[in-house]
């Protein structure tokens, strides 16, 4: 097994948009830096929470270029290269490898449904071949509730066997703990990240690498505290804390809710903008969300003043 | 209501790939010309049957460029501009409008699931705004069995009302005749094309514009005969004929089966290639398919020799 470049609390970073709907690289760079300052173990930019699939390939590449130019360490970045076509996925992965990114998060092709495992295997293998670099590190992105197409347990094993130096981990956003547990049991040394901190303690107890979680956008410190103390006597209480916040967030459409929180606590209303087909929270939802968070005593760490706009 | 540029039997054209997996523009041009020669009313290139979502935006644009350069009439073309991002969809639509295409076929954004109608409305409206051309003609592409996201009856009405000169038709691949019938009842003058010739006669009797059907790739003459004689005494018999062929095809994965048929009857084995995540038919499936077709007395019109490779 190759060495593992990522562990801990990874964040699928929200993507800010300007009032005209364009990706906002200035806010994006500042937010990524803030997440790393808070202790994020890596930034899984361009995931589902990032509205990556609401951006073109060139928009995603321009944002990655901006992060690198701003000095965000490439080895901390795990950009999503999800695309329905192997050519676009390979193009995005080649761009990420060129920047020295620690890894890439790879959706299965998600337009056609009911496709055979052999077809998904051929897709990933084509991406590996087209990138053609020993520096490529693929994390499989398993999120059947959204993509509707996923990586079966057997397919994961076939991909590891075919590409042992390349396919080195998986984000499991199935929401199905039994699937995460089975991955951890069957593929020791393979980096498995549950897609929610709700499963973090259970995963760590079975050898999991950490988690990659949307709520990391607003709760790196809390989740990191659990990650660092999972063997200690407070572990279950820390898990209960992060789970309570997660459950509160899940009562709302996740991406608009997270953006609303950043907009509110960083006093930056433009942060609430989302791209179609998502919609921002309406006023009533926003008030209810903030009230729910107040009840939990939640507050968001301020952005460092020296780095504010 | 604006004038309607398309009617009759439209074909979502198969996309040939080279043995190395690249789009094969030479075969594509020849095949498009052959379909028009056979009487296709239009070519809905880059649809689901075209494996369009297994191609990058630049690959699709290069194929469209090749058709135009080869002299295929742009007004006969209805390229699919389906993409998860409004920026990519708008870029593809702008390219198509620049070539003078008769229309574009537009999927809803299909990555995020369970999105509100307001979000899909905002997506389509953003595409219209970004293209910013009175020459844009959008046909909505409703295919919930694959995209999992669709255009509800009410949303269609809202889009027609907001963009009366632009949103002028819809391909209904729901497979649900009651939805097609409701569209025809509610929006007279709006061009509704069922996504299967199985519903062609029923649709024409209610004012439908024709059909856009995968099996058109191998059966333009049969379906066109029904289209031209739908008021005649033979209509039901003609419908039964085309339905029988369609049912035979549907017993197999549709795209690989259609490509296998073209490969076989045009004596061009490379035509059978598909892109991941699809797989070609195996030998047993191929034999069974050809046997089923032989039983129906099916044969494919030869490609014009003068235009063969």
């Amino acid at each position: 097994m190759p060495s593992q470049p990522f562990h801990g609390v990874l964040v699928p970073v929200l993507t800010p948009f300007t009032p005209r709907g364009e990706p906002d690289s200035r806010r994006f760079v500042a937010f990524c830096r803030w997440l790393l300052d808070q202790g994020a173990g890596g930034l899984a930019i361009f995931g589902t929470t990032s509205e990556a699939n609401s951006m073109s390939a060139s928009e995603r590449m321009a944002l990655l270029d901006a992060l690198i130019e701003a000095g965000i360490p490439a080895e901390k970045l795990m950009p999503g290269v999800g695309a329905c076509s192997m050519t676009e996925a390979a193009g995005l992965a080649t761009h990420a490898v060129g920047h020295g990114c620690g890894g890439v998060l790879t959706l299965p092709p998600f337009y056609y449904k009911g496709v055979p495992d052999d077809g998904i295997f051929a897709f990933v293998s084509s991406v590996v071949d087209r990138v053609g670099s020993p520096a490529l590190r693929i994390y499989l992105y398993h999120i059947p509730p959204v993509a509707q197409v996923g990586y079966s347990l057997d397919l994961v094993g076939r991909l590891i066997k075919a590409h042992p130096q390349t396919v080195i981990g998986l984000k499991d956003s199935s929401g199905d703990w039994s699937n995460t547990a089975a991955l951890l049991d069957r593929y020791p040394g393979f980096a498995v990240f549950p897609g929610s901190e709700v499963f973090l303690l259970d995963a760590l107890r079975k050898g999991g690498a950490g988690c990659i979680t949307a709520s990391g956008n607003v709760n790196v410190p809390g989740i990191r505290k659990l990650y660092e103390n999972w063997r200690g006597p407070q572990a279950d209480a820390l898990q209960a804390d992060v789970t309570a916040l997660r459950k509160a967030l899940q009562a709302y459409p996740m991406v608009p809710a997270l953006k609303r929180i950043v907009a509110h606590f960083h006093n930056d209303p433009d942060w609430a903008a989302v791209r179609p087909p998502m919609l921002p929270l309406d006023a009533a939802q926003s008030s209810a969300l903030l009230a729910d968070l107040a009840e939990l005593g939640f507050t968001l760490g301020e952005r460092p003043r020296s780095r504010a706009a």
Side-chain angles (χ1 to χ4, degrees), chain A residues 189-237:
Chain A
F190 185 67
V192 176
F193 294 87
S196 166
E197 71 274 27
V198 166
F199 303 116
L200 179 55
L201 186 54
D202 287 338
L204 293 170
R205 285 173 173 160
K206 286 180 76 75
C211 64
I212 305 176
T213 177
S215 24
N217 281 283
V218 299
N219 193 27
V220 166
I223 306 169
R224 190 181 158 99
K225 195 168 174 192
L226 167 59
Y227 176 72
E228 289 177 344
N229 295 284
W230 71 270
R231 285 190 174 89
Q234 297 299 314
D236 288 297

Side-chain angles (χ1 to χ4, degrees), chain A residues 203-278:
Chain A
L204 293 170
R205 285 173 173 160
K206 286 180 76 75
C211 64
I212 305 176
T213 177
S215 24
N217 281 283
V218 299
N219 193 27
V220 166
I223 306 169
R224 190 181 158 99
K225 195 168 174 192
L226 167 59
Y227 176 72
E228 289 177 344
N229 295 284
W230 71 270
R231 285 190 174 89
Q234 297 299 314
D236 288 297
L238 292 168
Q239 177 68 68
D241 284 349
V242 301
T243 297
L245 178 60
R246 173 79 182 200
K247 299 286 184 197
L249 295 170
Q250 285 182 177
Y252 301 87
M254 181 64 90
V255 175
L258 293 170
K259 286 187 149 181
R260 188 70 190 83
I261 293 168
V262 175
H264 176 78
F265 285 97
H266 285 182
N267 195 24
D268 187 357
D270 286 350
W271 246 106
V274 294
R275 250 192 183 178
M278 292 193 188

Side-chain angles (χ1 to χ4, degrees), chain A residues 106-127:
Chain A
T106 306
L107 283 169
F110 56 84
Y111 180 69
Y112 297 101
K113 306 303 188 295
V115 295
D117 273 6
D118 284 350
I120 302 172
F121 180 88
F123 181 96
V124 175
S125 295
S126 292
V127 170

Side-chain angles (χ1 to χ4, degrees), chain A residues 13-31:
Chain A
V13 184
L14 294 166
T15 304
F17 295 103
T18 68
R20 293 178 58 87
E22 308 305 324
D24 183 337
S25 61
R26 186 183 60 78
R27 278 187 174 80
F28 186 57
V29 167
F31 193 67

